[in-house]
Amino acid sequence: MFVVILETDNINIMENIYLILVVILFFLAASDLVVGVSNDAVNFLNSAIGSKAASFRTILFIASIGIFVGATFSTGMMEVARKGIFNPQHFYFGEIMIIFLAVMITDVILLDAFNSLGLPTSTTVSLVFELMGAAVAVSLFKLADIDGQQIMVDGVKRVATLGDYINSAKSLAIITGILSSVVIAFTVGAIIQFFVRLVFSFKYDVKLKYLGSVWGGVAITSIIYFLLIKGASHAVFMGPETKAFIKGNANQIMIYSFVLWTIVLQISKLLFKVDILKFVVLMGTFALAMAFAGNDLVNFIGVPIAGFSSYEVFASPQNSLGADELLMTALAEKTFVPSYMLVIAGLIMVLTLWFSKKAKNVTKTELSLSRQQEGEERFGSSFLARSIVRGALKASESVSKVMPLSVSGFIARQFDSTQYEEKRKKLGNDAPNFDLIRASVNLVVSSILISIATSYKLPLSTTYVTFMVAMGTSLSDRSWGRESAVYRITGVLSVIGGWFFTAFSAFTAAFIFASLIKWIGIWAIFILVVMAVYFVYHTHVLYKRKTAEEIKLGDIEIDEIDGELLPGTVLKRCKISVNKALFNISEAYIQSVVAFESEDRKALKQVVKDVKELNQKTKKLRYNIYSTVKKLQEESIDSSLYYVQVIDYLRESAHCLSFIVNPMYEHLDNNHKVFSKDQFVDLVSLQARVNGFMKDSIKTIELGDFSSLDSLLSTKQSLLEHLRLMRKIQLKRIKKEKAGTKVSLLYLNLLHESQNMLLHIGNLLKAQRDFVKYQK
């Protein structure tokens, strides 16, 4: 009797433990929904936001409806988490829970990390490779069992292999589909955009009067086909007869839809002045948002729901087996998701869409790579990107030589965006990143490709398709001119590389986490959950800090100003930026010597980082010179000369500072000797005088009163004489062999760059004086 009671208590304890694990799964799912939507929002927001088809709130409202409807009707794709990657009938309940926990912990950490970096990644890829990594880890533990693992295959017992546990055919199909979708989406997007632009050109207002309804009919028919095939056909509310009818009459539905929408749009255009392109873009946004929620929801809640289903089987009265005895054959059966779970998931996704700043950050990355105009590039240059651009230029020259002049002339006229750019200038800050023609092509091509792949049951990632279509259309639209092509291509390659890095990271992390849980047990689960929570919190803090640092220095954000610039506006913003930069230069100059004297490598490293950020800010100021001069009023063009000089001297001053702190950090990092006591005494005296000069310069610029400029320049000259004296004293130390080679070279470099910095600041003061004088 006592033994029976003890066994019953043990069973209840185990049930409670696994119930807690199921709760943890759903907690991680809620977090995963937040970071997942932040990542995938770019898929359906990019075209509408980039083309400014409506206000930001209107776009979010339409996308929210699509997300909620799609989430509520979501179903069949949930099988991917249950049996798409591994064969559940060969795993025990305890092993299945290990796999699911490792997957969810990995997913939360990876997606949040990529969102914080502002890089879109594929939630499908992360889920697939996490499931694979965790399943492989658990399978290897099973195969390493000293008693040998045996499984039943066609009623016969035999020794298990890794291929029995992993659904390798499905996994390979998913990987192949993803790889091919990258190339296909980019190519098709570029080709379709080329021919659509060839028909409509950038001056499409006139042609829209008689061709707009036809294009709208094609576009909306494609979107409807996308909704039926990719979205609603998988929904729980649709019966088998309805699905069979849609599948059997797809062609007729498309033909009737095209004719009906063409007529409706033409009448609406004539009678109600409806903007066909805006209507197409907004409807496409709804369609992609609905399909995203309806089909990609498995990436976020598929695993917890599978875990909950497993627990229900384990805790059912009919089950008398333990966690390490119950094979999860039930997971191979078709699943049913409770409606309340879908409603809750839909609400979380909608709230995330409205309030997530990281979603806007990811969207910003894609828009910056596809915008029509030039501007500050988010990515640098790379060898591969430069090679691609050179090859494309040579290919373009070869084609131009054989193409008839009449044809090339016609193409050039159709792709001439001069008038469009003039309209953009008049709109100022309200100007879109690209026009509605390209936005509609983005949505239509993405919808068609995803629909075709789904109808043939080919796996692909919506992130891959929508992103690569956007890149293809931007290339075809000549958004990647010679001024920006190398940076845009580097950005695309970086994002693609991030996707494949996601696959590797997801597999590796899930493999490690599953192995730790299998090896250590229940304590590993709670440690990993705490680590995941800390990681998400830490990246959130870093993201907020990064955002704060981006606005710390008052840059001249010319793009925020509509129309022409008044000279006074430039002067005011220039004064703020220059003073803040000079203050940061003075602070870093002092801190570098203090940290070097105390041999505080960590503090000096922070100074190096601050100086690097300062250089990026001054670089951005210098980059904005072109747009500033373009926007200045005609009668103020002459004053732009002084503005350019001010920014140039500020940029050079920051450069000098980097040539001071970087060698100091490298010297200290290599554990070389620091300066002698006499050298530090001389440097502290110099710093005090330089700091006084910088404060007086900042005050002069702030007040705009340059009556004391001669006194300031005299102070500068006195400082230069003091630097020459310090250099002579150091040379005497070298002759008397009182200083080593490396420390002497570092000291002389500091004096030389300090001299250069003071010279540039003196010139900056004179240029600022002339700028202010000319304005008055």
Side-chain angles (χ1 to χ4, degrees):
M1 182 69 178
F2 177 75
V3 173
V4 173
I5 294 173
L6 188 60
E7 288 179 354
T8 304
D9 288 342
N10 287 336
I11 291 171
N12 291 334
I13 291 171
M14 288 306 298
E15 285 187 8
N16 290 334
I17 289 174
Y18 283 112
L19 179 60
I20 292 172
L21 296 184
V22 171
V23 172
I24 291 174
L25 278 177
F26 279 102
F27 167 77
L28 292 171
S31 178
D32 204 26
L33 273 171
V34 173
V35 296
V37 172
S38 299
N39 176 80
D40 281 5
V42 66
N43 295 342
F44 47 85
L45 295 179
N46 160 54
S47 296
I49 293 176
S51 62
K52 298 205 172 180
S55 67
F56 186 69
R57 287 182 173 272
T58 302
I59 294 169
L60 284 186
F61 179 75
I62 292 171
S64 299
I65 296 173
I67 284 178
F68 191 77
V69 172
T72 306
F73 294 153
S74 179
T75 181
M77 300 299 286
M78 295 294 173
E79 271 79 11
V80 174
R82 298 160 62 96
K83 58 183 180 181
I85 305 302
F86 57 86
N87 299 314
Q89 64 271 23
H90 299 319
F91 291 91
Y92 297 112
F93 170 67
E95 295 168 339
I96 285 289
M97 293 302 290
I98 290 173
I99 292 173
F100 290 159
L101 283 165
V103 167
M104 292 306 298
I105 292 169
T106 305
D107 209 44
V108 169
I109 292 175
L110 276 184
L111 290 182
D112 189 72
F114 272 82
N115 293 342
S116 298
L117 294 172
L119 293 175
T121 189
S122 172
T123 53
T124 304
V125 171
S126 60
L127 175 71
V128 167
F129 281 90
E130 284 156 6
L131 284 168
M132 192 183 300
V136 167
V138 174
S139 300
L140 291 177
F141 270 93
K142 290 169 69 69
L143 292 172
D145 192 307
I146 57 174
D147 297 327
Q149 285 289 327
Q150 291 187 328
I151 60 171
M152 295 291 294
V153 178
D154 298 328
V156 179
K157 266 191 175 183
R158 66 174 177 79
V159 177
T161 63
L162 187 60
D164 294 314
Y165 298 115
I166 306 301
N167 193 341
S168 54
K170 182 71 172 179
S171 304
L172 183 62
I174 291 174
I175 296 169
T176 305
I178 288 170
L179 286 170
S180 59
S181 68
V182 171
V183 179
I184 292 172
F186 184 85
T187 307
V188 173
I191 292 172
I192 298 297
Q193 177 64 29
F194 176 81
F195 285 107
V196 171
R197 185 65 73 189
L198 204 60
V199 172
F200 287 99
S201 78
F202 280 94
K203 297 169 282 189
Y204 51 80
D205 292 336
V206 176
K207 292 185 179 180
L208 276 179
K209 293 180 180 179
Y210 50 90
L211 288 178
S213 59
V214 177
W215 169 244
V218 172
I220 295 177
T221 300
S222 303
I223 292 168
I224 289 174
Y225 183 71
F226 171 69
L227 282 172
L228 291 176
I229 301 300
K230 176 68 176 169
S233 63
H234 293 292
V236 289
F237 72 93
M238 192 174 287
E241 299 83 5
T242 308
K243 293 180 181 180
F245 175 80
I246 291 174
K247 187 175 181 180
N249 299 276
N251 293 332
Q252 293 90 326
I253 293 173
M254 295 305 100
I255 293 171
Y256 294 147
S257 174
F258 169 71
V259 174
L260 176 64
W261 278 108
T262 301
I263 295 171
V264 169
L265 289 174
Q266 187 63 42
I267 293 173
S268 301
K269 175 75 175 176
L270 294 174
L271 298 180
F272 306 108
K273 307 298 180 184
V274 172
D275 192 321
I276 294 173
L277 292 179
K278 286 186 177 180
F279 181 76
V280 168
V281 170
L282 293 176
M283 186 170 180
T285 301
F286 170 83
L288 278 178
M290 178 179 171
F292 154 72
N295 296 275
D296 286 6
L297 192 61
V298 62
N299 300 337
F300 314 124
I301 68 170
V303 169
I305 288 175
F308 180 68
S309 300
S310 303
Y311 174 77
E312 285 184 320
V313 174
F314 172 70
S316 65
Q318 293 80 12
N319 175 51
S320 59
L321 299 175
D324 296 328
E325 299 172 322
L326 176 63
L327 287 171
M328 296 311 300
T329 308
L331 288 184
E333 300 171 2
K334 191 169 181 64
T335 185
F336 174 76
V337 183
S339 298
Y340 71 88
M341 290 187 180
L342 298 178
V343 171
I344 293 172
L347 287 173
I348 293 174
M349 295 168 83
V350 170
L351 291 173
T352 300
L353 186 66
W354 278 89
F355 298 107
S356 173
K357 292 182 179 179
K358 291 183 180 179
K360 298 174 185 177
N361 191 33
V362 176
T363 303
K364 184 179 178 182
T365 296
E366 185 163 325
L367 291 178
S368 70
L369 292 174
S370 59
R371 69 179 185 271
Q372 189 72 28
Q373 75 278 15
E374 294 177 15
E376 185 190 9
E377 302 294 341
R378 289 172 65 86
F379 296 89
S381 173
S382 67
F383 172 77
L384 183 56
R386 292 192 294 270
S387 301
I388 292 173
V389 171
R390 289 192 196 100
L393 289 173
K394 290 180 181 178
S396 177
E397 291 173 3
S398 301
V399 172
S400 299
K401 290 178 181 177
V402 298
M403 184 180 291
L405 290 176
S406 58
V407 175
S408 60
F410 172 74
I411 294 174
R413 288 193 298 274
Q414 295 301 94
F415 281 83
D416 182 12
S417 59
T418 305
Q419 290 187 11
Y420 172 73
E421 289 300 325
E422 290 297 326
K423 290 181 180 178
R424 286 195 72 264
K425 291 177 184 177
K426 292 179 181 178
L427 291 172
N429 195 44
D430 292 328
N433 289 74
F434 44 82
D435 63 9
L436 289 165
I437 289 288
R438 200 205 304 177
S440 61
V441 171
N442 285 343
L443 292 164
V444 170
V445 173
S446 298
S447 301
I448 291 174
L449 290 178
I450 296 171
S451 302
I452 292 173
T454 304
S455 63
Y456 285 102
K457 298 182 179 179
L458 296 175
L460 50 73
S461 166
T462 53
T463 303
Y464 280 45
V465 171
T466 53
F467 180 83
M468 293 310 295
V469 166
M471 295 304 100
T473 57
S474 62
L475 173 65
S476 186
D477 237 5
R478 301 186 179 181
S479 299
W480 298 359
R482 292 187 67 171
E483 293 293 325
S484 60
V486 68
Y487 309 111
R488 306 285 177 89
I489 293 173
T490 299
V492 172
L493 294 175
S494 299
V495 173
I496 294 174
W499 293 337
F500 292 106
F501 179 71
T502 301
F504 173 78
S505 302
F507 181 92
T508 305
F511 182 93
I512 293 172
F513 292 164
S515 300
L516 289 173
I517 296 171
K518 181 71 175 175
W519 182 36
I520 299 174
I522 192 73
W523 290 108
I525 296 173
F526 293 106
I527 292 171
L528 290 174
V529 169
V530 170
M531 186 182 77
V533 172
Y534 171 76
F535 188 90
V536 171
Y537 171 76
H538 185 63
T539 55
H540 177 70
V541 171
L542 289 178
Y543 176 78
K544 289 184 69 175
R545 189 182 301 166
K546 179 182 176 184
T547 306
E549 286 174 352
E550 286 178 353
I551 61 175
K552 182 171 62 177
L553 184 61
D555 294 331
I556 303 176
E557 295 290 351
I558 299 302
D559 292 337
E560 294 179 0
I561 301 174
D562 298 342
E564 291 183 330
L565 279 171
L566 294 171
T569 304
V570 178
L571 177 60
K572 181 180 178 181
R573 288 173 172 248
C574 181
K575 181 170 65 176
I576 295 172
S577 299
V578 170
N579 273 349
K580 288 194 174 183
L582 289 178
F583 176 80
N584 288 336
I585 289 172
S586 179
E587 287 292 302
Y589 187 74
I590 295 171
Q591 291 170 7
S592 62
V593 176
V594 172
F596 189 76
E597 183 178 11
S598 59
E599 299 190 45
D600 189 343
R601 194 177 64 88
K602 185 177 180 181
L604 190 55
K605 186 177 182 180
Q606 183 60 45
V607 175
V608 171
K609 182 181 177 183
D610 293 340
V611 171
K612 183 179 179 181
E613 290 175 359
L614 177 63
N615 270 277
Q616 290 173 346
K617 296 293 185 181
T618 55
K619 181 181 178 182
K620 184 177 179 181
L621 285 168
R622 197 172 186 277
Y623 192 90
N624 280 340
I625 285 175
Y626 178 73
S627 57
T628 306
V629 172
K630 276 184 21 177
K631 288 187 177 183
L632 276 170
Q633 291 178 338
E634 190 66 33
E635 63 271 16
S636 304
I637 293 300
D638 290 340
S639 66
S640 62
L641 171 64
Y642 304 117
Y643 166 73
V644 171
Q645 287 179 346
V646 170
I647 300 303
D648 276 341
Y649 290 132
L650 184 65
R651 172 84 171 127
E652 292 302 321
S653 301
H655 258 146
C656 292
L657 187 61
S658 65
F659 293 141
I660 291 173
V661 298
N662 289 339
M664 289 174 72
Y665 175 74
E666 184 179 346
H667 186 92
L668 195 61
D669 197 37
N670 287 324
N671 301 305
H672 298 317
K673 285 184 178 181
V674 295
F675 300 140
S676 66
K677 186 177 180 180
D678 292 340
Q679 288 173 318
F680 277 121
V681 169
D682 292 343
L683 284 177
V684 169
S685 173
L686 173 67
Q687 279 186 326
R689 295 181 64 179
V690 170
N691 187 43
F693 171 73
M694 297 288 276
K695 284 183 177 179
D696 291 341
S697 300
I698 291 170
K699 185 178 180 181
T700 298
I701 294 172
E702 176 65 30
L703 297 174
D705 181 5
F706 290 87
S707 58
S708 60
L709 179 59
D710 290 339
S711 176
L712 270 174
L713 294 178
S714 177
T715 302
K716 181 206 75 174
Q717 194 61 36
S718 175
L719 277 168
L720 294 178
E721 292 295 332
H722 184 67
L723 282 167
R724 290 191 187 97
L725 178 61
M726 290 177 66
R727 191 178 291 112
K728 287 181 179 179
I729 293 172
Q730 178 59 26
L731 292 174
K732 288 179 181 179
R733 291 193 188 107
I734 294 173
K735 282 191 173 184
K736 293 179 180 178
E737 299 183 354
K738 288 185 177 181
T741 304
K742 291 187 180 298
V743 77
S744 295
L745 290 174
L746 181 67
Y747 187 80
L748 291 172
N749 174 75
L750 190 154
L751 299 181
H752 177 71
E753 294 300 336
S754 298
Q755 175 182 298
N756 290 338
M757 184 178 72
L758 290 169
L759 287 170
H760 289 308
I761 293 173
N763 290 331
L764 183 153
L765 288 168
K766 288 187 282 188
Q768 183 73 13
R769 176 201 59 191
D770 295 337
F771 190 26
V772 172
K773 183 179 178 181
Y774 194 93
Q775 298 305 313
K776 290 180 178 179

